[in-house]
Amino acid sequence: GESVGLHLPTLSVQEGDNSIINCAYSNSASDYFIWYKQESGKGPQFIIDIRSNMDKRQGQRVTVLLNKTVKHLSLQIAATQPGDSAVYFCAETAMDSNYQLIWGAGTKLIIKP
Amino acid sequence: DTGVSQDPRHKITKRGQNVTFRCDPISEHNRLYWYRQTLGQGPEFLTYFQNEAQLEKSRLLSDRFSAERPKGSFSTLEIQRTEQGDSAMYLCASSLVWGTQETQYFGPGTRLLVL
């Protein structure tokens, strides 16, 4: 995955607003994508996934959009809550990499009260 | 709680000592992964098992690191002669490979501090 050192991209959002976190992926052969949420001191937590034959998938308060043309993935969180504060990682997998996860750069989401 | 557990959650050791971490995956999962994560970075792949077979090791995994999964269930990761650069969060994940889809579920991690 990309390395951003200690300076994670940060997104500050007002509580109750919608959040959009973006991710660019690298492998055009990737066919499965996952968003993970990682709170401080915890392991990554699965949020939502999408396969390459889809361009949108919705979960509870979260939506993932996939644009294969530009190799872009986004995570939309509706009505952001304080508990959404975390670092969000996208990950891609592909058959040609034996389905190992390739991690994108994390984005730190900060919720303003 | 994902169902993947790791022990211990925290470990402080002196440089040169050996440490061993344990991971208990979700019981029906056939794959088990070890990752290392440092502050501000995504997890770095170390190694993974399919059942009891260790199928791949990262170039990052020096000879001081060894992992086992003797019965295809729990796994251990041992670091010998620890160095300060080994300080990191060590994450375990498990998955059930189903067709062409695989979702990895992570444990809470073991945070290692080498003094």
Side-chain angles (χ1 to χ4, degrees), chain A residues 2-6 8 32 34 36 38 41-44 46 49 51 89 95 98-101 103, chain B residues 9 31 35 37 39-43 45 48 56 89 91 100-108 111:
Chain A
E2 296 176 29
S3 171
V4 293
L6 295 175
L8 281 171
Y32 182 55
I34 309 167
Y36 285 95
Q38 188 171 24
K42 297 183 178 180
F46 171 86
D49 57 2
R51 300 199 63 175
F89 290 98
M95 192 188 304
N98 199 22
Y99 290 101
Q100 288 190 34
L101 287 174
W103 294 81
Chain B
R9 295 290 309 277
R31 278 197 180 177
Y35 292 86
Q37 186 178 31
L39 191 64
Q41 306 263 2
F45 168 78
Y48 87 97
E56 188 165 341
M89 173 81 91
L91 293 163
T100 57
Q101 184 167 320
E102 178 189 7
T103 302
Q104 294 183 27
Y105 293 91
F106 285 80
R111 185 168 293 283

Side-chain angles (χ1 to χ4, degrees), chain A residues 20-35:
Chain A
I20 300 175
I21 301 171
N22 296 305
C23 180
Y25 64 92
S26 53
N27 186 358
S28 57
S30 291
D31 55 7
Y32 182 55
F33 305 86
I34 309 167
W35 279 100

